[in-house]
């Protein structure tokens, strides 16, 4: 009996031990699987972290590139804005300078005091400034006759390239006839494309509001009154053109729209001006005839314009030019010879003339003129 109990106990212990072993083995297997799973999770996490790190680095590099591009664009925009502001300021300064020059007109022409900003209509122009010479050519409608193309061809074709670069030719249309304005602009843009492109040739038109009411009166039929209005308008046209040209160049050469120039005229003028020993001159006349080929220092133009405007209703402009020298140089009580001698010091006449008048049809309607410079 006891032997059976012992055997039972041994068997029971064996079963318990076997069960416990199986349980332990099962637990160990489960734990091992968990460890393997945990390791796999850790490896997966590590791989994800590595990928995330790589992705973060890539994103960081892309972000840096984007920030650098944005920085470059901002700098470029700032530089462009600065250049635009500088250009705008420079342009404004140029316009303001010219506008200020026109302000003196309000003193002599009261109707302009109601006008805000006095400025020509710039039809063709690149605001060329800082040159040695400005050449002014006023032009008006002469009906079926025109000499402007011949004049411009003569003027620009007899300049060297360096002379063209150091000058600006200004055609001032002093006529409200729209067809004439269009014809002048069309002719110049087609025939003188190179000069227009380089900025060496400009075209402006004088606004109608510039002229006083007396010049808008078309009712008078008397030739004498028409002639007086024509002379008056001519003086004003020259004054307006002078004020526009003044800030552009060191010297201003007055021409007309019906003349021709001698070969190398520009070289001759430049050499003559540079070789003058005294700087006290006020005018150099390259032809004697009329108001053609008169050279002025731009710094003196305001004085001339003010004098012309004081008497614009009274005398033609070539007469007024003579009077201003008499007033400047002639003293009360001195002899005429003494006055003429002093006049020659500031009013220099160059011979032979460099320009010739070729127009027959006058700018005054239905009138012909056959004036020629005898020294040409």
């Amino acid at each position: 009996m006891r032997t059976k109990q012992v055997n039972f106990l041994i068997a029971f212990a064996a079963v318990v031990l076997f069960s416990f072993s199986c349980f332990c083995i099962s637990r160990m297997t489960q734990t091992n699987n968990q460890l393997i799973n945990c390791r796999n999770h850790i490896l997966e996490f590590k791989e994800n972290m590595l990928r995330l790190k790589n992705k973060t680095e890539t994103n960081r590099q892309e972000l840096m590139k984007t920030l650098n591009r944005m920085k470059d664009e901002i700098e470029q925009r700032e530089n462009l804005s600065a250049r635009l502001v500088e250009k705008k300021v420079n342009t404004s300064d140029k316009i303001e300078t010219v506008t200020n020059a026109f302000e003196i007109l309000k003193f002599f022409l009261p109707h302009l005091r109601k006008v805000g900003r006095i400025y020509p209509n710039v039809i063709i122009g690149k605001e060329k400034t800082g040159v040695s010479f400005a050449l002014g050519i006023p032009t008006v409608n002469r009906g079926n006759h025109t000499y402007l193309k011949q004049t411009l061809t003569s003027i620009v074709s007899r300049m060297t390239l360096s002379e063209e670069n150091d000058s600006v030719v200004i055609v001032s249309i002093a006529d409200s006839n729209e067809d004439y304005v269009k014809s002048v602009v069309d002719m110049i843009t087609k025939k003188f494309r190179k000069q227009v492109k380089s900025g060496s040739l400009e075209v402006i038109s004088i606004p109608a509001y510039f002229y006083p009411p007396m010049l808008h009166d078309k009712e008078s039929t008397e030739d004498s009154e028409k002639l007086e209005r024509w002379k008056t308008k001519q003086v004003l046209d020259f004054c307006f053109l002078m004020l526009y040209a003044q800030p552009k160049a060191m010297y201003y050469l007055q021409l007309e729209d019906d003349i021709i120039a001698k070969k190398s005229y520009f070289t001759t003028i430049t050499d003559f001006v540079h070789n003058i020993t005294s700087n006290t001159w006020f005018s150099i006349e390259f032809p004697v005839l009329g108001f053609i080929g008169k050279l002025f220092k731009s710094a003196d133009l305001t004085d001339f314009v003010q004098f012309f405007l004081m008497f614009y209703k009274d005398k033609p402009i070539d007469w007024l030019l003579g009077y201003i020298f008499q007033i400047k140089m002639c003293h009360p009580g001195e002899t005429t010879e003494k006055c003429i001698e002093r006049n020659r010091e500031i009013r220099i006449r160059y011979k032979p003339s460099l320009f010739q008048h070729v127009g027959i049809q006058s700018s005054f309607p239905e009138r012909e003129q056959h004036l020629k410079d005898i020294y040409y």
Side-chain angles (χ1 to χ4, degrees):
M1 186 70 181
R2 182 175 292 178
T3 304
K4 288 183 179 178
Q5 290 178 346
V6 170
N7 290 337
F8 175 78
L9 290 172
I10 292 171
F12 179 76
V15 170
V16 171
L17 182 62
F18 177 76
S19 298
F20 180 75
S21 299
C22 289
F23 174 76
C24 289
I25 291 171
S26 175
R27 293 296 298 176
M28 288 177 65
T29 302
Q30 186 178 0
T31 303
N32 186 54
N33 290 336
Q34 289 178 347
L35 288 173
I36 292 172
N37 290 335
C38 182
R39 188 187 67 176
N40 291 337
H41 284 305
I42 291 172
L43 290 175
E44 185 180 357
F45 177 76
K46 184 178 180 181
E47 290 176 358
N48 289 336
M49 289 297 294
L50 184 62
R51 283 197 298 269
L52 181 62
K53 179 181 178 182
N54 293 335
K55 188 175 181 180
T56 302
E57 179 64 22
T58 303
N59 290 339
R60 188 187 70 83
Q61 292 177 357
E62 291 179 355
L63 180 61
M64 290 300 298
K65 290 180 181 178
T66 303
L67 290 173
N68 288 331
R69 283 198 300 270
M70 291 176 63
K71 182 180 178 181
D72 292 340
E73 289 178 2
I74 291 172
E75 289 179 353
Q76 290 176 2
R77 290 180 181 179
E78 288 178 347
N79 292 335
L80 178 61
S81 299
R83 288 195 297 270
L84 290 175
V85 169
E86 182 180 358
K87 183 177 180 182
K88 184 176 180 181
V89 169
N90 291 338
T91 302
S92 300
D93 288 344
K94 292 175 185 176
I95 293 177
E96 186 66 25
T97 300
V98 179
T99 303
N100 289 339
F102 283 114
E103 286 299 304
I104 66 168
L105 295 172
K106 295 182 179 181
F107 182 81
F108 300 97
L109 303 173
H111 71 284
L112 292 178
R113 294 169 191 170
K114 299 178 182 179
V115 178
R117 175 176 172 266
I118 304 172
Y119 198 71
N121 302 316
V122 181
I123 303 173
I124 298 174
K126 293 192 175 180
E127 299 177 356
K128 188 175 183 180
T129 58
V131 295
S132 294
F133 292 88
L135 291 71
I137 305 176
T139 185
V140 295
N141 186 10
R142 299 174 189 252
N144 295 328
H145 299 80
T146 179
Y147 309 97
L148 181 60
K149 183 168 72 172
Q150 179 185 10
T151 296
L152 285 175
T153 301
S154 176
I155 293 299
V156 302
S157 66
R158 290 171 180 177
M159 290 182 183
T160 65
L161 179 60
S162 61
E163 290 170 347
E164 184 178 311
N165 292 334
D166 195 29
S167 64
V168 56
V169 178
I170 306 165
V171 176
S172 175
I173 305 175
D175 201 300
S176 59
N177 186 305
E178 293 183 2
D179 292 335
Y180 181 68
V181 174
K182 185 178 183 301
S183 69
V184 170
V185 172
D186 290 344
M187 181 273 291
I188 288 177
T189 52
K190 291 177 182 178
K191 300 295 183 182
F192 303 95
R193 189 175 306 170
K194 173 176 167 288
Q195 287 76 19
V196 169
K197 185 177 180 180
S198 69
S200 297
L201 179 57
E202 295 188 7
V203 180
I204 67 171
S205 67
I206 301 178
Y209 66 76
F210 165 66
Y211 301 104
M214 61 173 288
L215 296 183
H216 295 285
D217 182 15
K218 305 294 183 181
E219 296 181 359
S220 176
T221 57
E222 294 292 331
D223 285 346
S224 59
E225 292 183 10
K226 291 181 180 179
L227 183 61
E228 287 302 314
R229 286 206 304 271
W230 173 74
K231 291 178 180 177
T232 297
K233 179 180 177 298
Q234 199 173 52
V235 175
L236 295 176
D237 291 342
F238 283 119
C239 289
F240 195 95
L241 179 52
M242 285 179 168
L243 291 176
Y244 176 76
Q246 184 181 24
K248 291 180 171 290
M250 186 179 300
Y251 303 103
Y252 174 75
L253 181 64
Q254 182 64 64
L255 300 173
E256 294 188 11
D257 65 345
D258 57 349
I259 57 100
I260 58 172
K262 278 188 174 180
K263 291 181 179 180
S264 303
Y265 78 95
F266 201 95
T267 303
T268 302
I269 292 175
T270 304
D271 291 344
F272 187 78
V273 171
H274 290 165
N275 290 329
I276 294 178
T277 55
S278 174
N279 198 38
T280 59
W281 61 273
F282 278 89
S283 172
I284 303 175
E285 302 181 4
F286 290 98
V288 177
L289 183 66
F291 204 55
I292 302 167
K294 304 300 187 284
L295 184 73
F296 306 94
K297 299 171 190 171
S298 293
D300 295 331
L301 285 178
T302 301
D303 292 337
F304 282 103
V305 168
Q306 288 177 337
F307 184 83
F308 296 153
L309 289 175
M310 278 191 273
F311 305 101
Y312 76 94
K313 298 179 183 178
D314 303 312
K315 298 294 179 183
I317 196 162
D318 51 335
W319 288 29
L320 293 176
L321 182 62
Y323 291 152
I324 192 173
F325 288 117
Q326 290 183 14
I327 293 172
K328 277 182 172 291
M329 304 308 296
C330 298
H331 304 306
E334 72 176 358
T335 62
T336 304
E337 291 76 12
K338 189 68 175 177
C339 176
I340 294 175
E341 181 181 348
R342 194 183 296 107
N343 202 346
R344 290 195 186 112
E345 296 175 1
I346 64 169
R347 187 181 186 183
I348 302 171
R349 290 180 172 176
Y350 178 90
K351 295 178 183 179
S353 298
L354 299 180
F355 305 95
Q356 180 60 285
H357 180 263
V358 295
I360 296 177
Q361 177 61 50
S362 171
S363 57
F364 183 74
E366 301 178 359
R367 173 171 293 191
E368 293 185 355
Q369 55 184 9
H370 299 269
L371 301 174
K372 297 293 180 183
D373 193 311
I374 61 174
Y375 299 108
Y376 180 78

